[in-house]
Amino acid sequence: KFEIEKMSDEIVLSRGLPVIEKQKEDITTRGEMRLRERGQYVWKDDLKERFNGAIDKTLSNVSKDKAEYLEDFKKNMSDLGVTVKERYVKKRDTTYFTYAFTDENGKQQTINEKKLGVKYSAERVSEAVEERLEQNRTETLETAKEAVSGPERPLRRSGFVPPAEIERKRDASKKPNKVSDGAEIKKDTQTTRETITPLEMAPRPLRRDDEDEEKKRIREKELESFGQRLGFKPDGSYREMVLYCEETQRAMLYRVTPAQISQLERYGSNDLVTESFNYRLYTSPDRELMSGRYEKYRPESFYEQLKGNAQEKGVGIEFEQGHRTAVLQNRNAGRSR
């Protein structure tokens, strides 16, 4: 297979065309997914978080000079404890990154960008910077244009009234007059008195209290229906902890949440979670153990963030019991497969 791919690349290059490499956006192995599900440390996730932090900082300081962006990115990575080495392949006219850093267990880790995914490549960094530069150029051009000529105004000919405007005024003159307190004025033809009758009330937008009630209703319905699918213990509690995502308004098993987060990072879409989200953790449909927020860009893993929150809320022991149950269920599910 390798020889065939090599021959194919050589044919494409001989005709002056670029070689298209089929590679995933974000590579995650099964072993890494299992570690996530158990709430254990994954050094590649740690590196990816540092990469995201460095690229965000680089893009926030992009100037008109593109030549300096690569050094800025490498410096930002260095500030986060990661050394970036470049390797230029002349045959493909492409630069590749290799990352090296010491993980939280004190081990020295080195990895090529290809093993992390396209999202973490030198080419993707270059594309991101180019997009930001183009955005900056567009904004600068619009600002300069407005400063010279002022905001654009619709052209208007003196003394000319569009037919649509004439029709609108004619229709408005046929409508009943209104007073400021929302009442309709009707003329009494016999007494020439004006009588005021209330207008039909227009639908008002939902108030904040109404919105909160609607969200609560949706949440309770989702938790109850999820529990019916999952099954309850004799005391009415869930068989294992259930997490509710506020943004998607969906419930899921606590133990599968890390896998859903990983799926979102890998494929870019997921119906159950968003990149960062507000959550509520339940032991039964009517008992909320705690609530909080999961932040994608924090260095702590999903499990570590929830564990810290549980300790702050004074439910650390109960959370750990639920977490151990989730780990055991994951192991059983793995054996059954």
Side-chain angles (χ1 to χ4, degrees):
K1 182 180 178 182
F2 176 79
E3 289 298 325
I4 294 174
E5 290 180 351
K6 187 176 179 181
M7 289 171 61
S8 174
D9 290 353
E10 289 175 353
I11 293 171
V12 170
L13 289 169
S14 67
R15 298 186 178 184
L17 300 172
V19 175
I20 300 175
E21 298 183 1
K22 295 181 179 179
Q23 191 177 0
K24 295 178 180 177
E25 279 287 306
D26 195 335
I27 298 173
T28 303
T29 65
R30 291 184 178 274
E32 290 162 3
M33 291 181 68
R34 285 195 290 270
L35 288 174
R36 287 177 184 171
E37 291 169 0
R38 296 171 190 162
Q40 297 179 0
Y41 174 74
V42 181
W43 68 265
K44 286 184 184 177
D45 289 351
D46 186 356
L47 175 59
K48 290 173 182 177
E49 293 291 344
R50 300 188 196 199
F51 175 95
N52 291 333
I55 191 66
D56 287 345
K57 188 175 180 181
T58 303
L59 293 178
S60 67
N61 295 319
V62 166
S63 62
K64 296 180 181 179
D65 186 4
K66 183 183 175 184
E68 297 178 358
Y69 83 88
L70 189 57
E71 292 305 316
D72 288 343
F73 172 73
K74 290 166 65 176
K75 180 181 181 302
N76 292 332
M77 285 289 274
S78 178
D79 292 343
L80 294 172
V82 182
T83 301
V84 181
K85 295 181 180 178
E86 299 174 63
R87 182 172 64 90
Y88 177 70
V89 179
K90 185 177 181 181
K91 196 173 183 180
R92 296 188 176 183
D93 190 26
T94 305
T95 298
Y96 296 96
F97 281 162
T98 298
Y99 304 103
F101 80 115
T102 304
D103 68 17
E104 71 172 27
N105 296 322
K107 293 182 179 179
Q108 182 67 27
Q109 305 287 359
T110 303
I111 189 169
N112 188 282
E113 66 174 44
K114 291 183 178 181
K115 295 182 179 180
L116 293 174
V118 178
K119 182 179 177 181
Y120 307 96
S121 64
E123 183 179 3
R124 186 56 58 85
V125 174
S126 177
E127 290 174 356
V129 171
E130 185 58 48
E131 287 177 7
R132 182 58 59 89
L133 284 169
E134 183 61 32
Q135 180 183 341
N136 290 350
R137 283 193 289 267
T138 302
E139 290 176 354
T140 302
L141 183 62
E142 290 296 324
T143 303
K145 184 178 178 182
E146 188 168 329
V148 173
S149 59
E152 290 186 4
R153 295 183 177 86
L155 292 173
R156 191 169 183 178
R157 286 180 284 175
S158 176
F160 173 76
V161 180
E165 182 68 12
I166 296 173
E167 198 65 33
R168 187 186 67 78
K169 290 182 177 180
R170 184 180 298 161
D171 291 342
S173 66
K174 295 178 182 179
K175 294 180 180 179
N177 293 325
K178 296 180 181 179
V179 292
S180 58
D181 60 353
E184 181 180 335
I185 298 178
K186 292 182 179 179
K187 288 192 176 181
D188 189 331
T189 54
Q190 294 181 351
T191 62
T192 67
R193 286 188 303 106
E194 290 184 344
T195 58
I196 300 177
T197 58
L199 285 172
E200 181 181 353
M201 292 293 292
R204 61 175 177 79
L206 284 176
R207 295 176 304 184
R208 180 60 183 268
D209 293 344
D210 296 332
E211 290 178 353
D212 291 343
E213 283 299 317
E214 178 65 11
K215 289 180 180 178
K216 182 180 178 182
R217 185 189 65 78
I218 294 173
R219 182 172 66 248
E220 289 175 347
K221 183 178 179 181
E222 173 72 6
L223 290 168
E224 184 64 34
S225 62
F226 185 83
Q228 291 173 358
R229 298 193 302 271
L230 177 65
F232 296 102
K233 292 181 181 178
D235 62 357
S237 62
Y238 291 127
R239 297 188 182 278
E240 37 182 315
M241 291 191 297
V242 171
L243 184 139
Y244 181 82
C245 176
E246 296 277 13
E247 281 72 9
T248 61
Q249 297 182 321
R250 296 289 299 277
M252 70 205 83
L253 290 174
Y254 157 79
R255 66 181 167 94
V256 305
T257 311
Q260 297 299 328
I261 295 171
S262 174
Q263 180 181 328
L264 176 63
E265 293 175 349
R266 190 170 184 177
Y267 300 108
S269 64
N270 192 299
D271 295 333
L272 295 179
V273 295
T274 52
E275 286 190 336
S276 298
F277 55 85
N278 295 308
Y279 65 83
R280 294 173 184 263
L281 198 63
Y282 289 87
T283 56
S284 71
D286 54 0
R287 182 169 186 274
E288 180 181 307
L289 182 63
M290 66 176 186
S291 62
R293 181 169 177 80
Y294 165 73
E295 292 286 355
K296 174 186 176 183
Y297 296 105
R298 283 180 56 181
E300 300 91 347
S301 66
F302 170 76
Y303 162 69
E304 290 168 343
Q305 290 189 38
L306 267 68
K307 179 181 178 182
N309 187 26
Q311 291 172 345
E312 290 178 6
K313 301 286 177 63
V315 292
I317 295 176
E318 192 170 356
F319 171 76
E320 284 297 337
Q321 290 173 344
H323 176 72
R324 283 195 291 272
T325 300
V327 171
L328 183 61
Q329 291 291 341
N330 270 331
R331 288 175 183 169
N332 292 337
R335 291 193 191 101
S336 65
R337 287 195 291 270

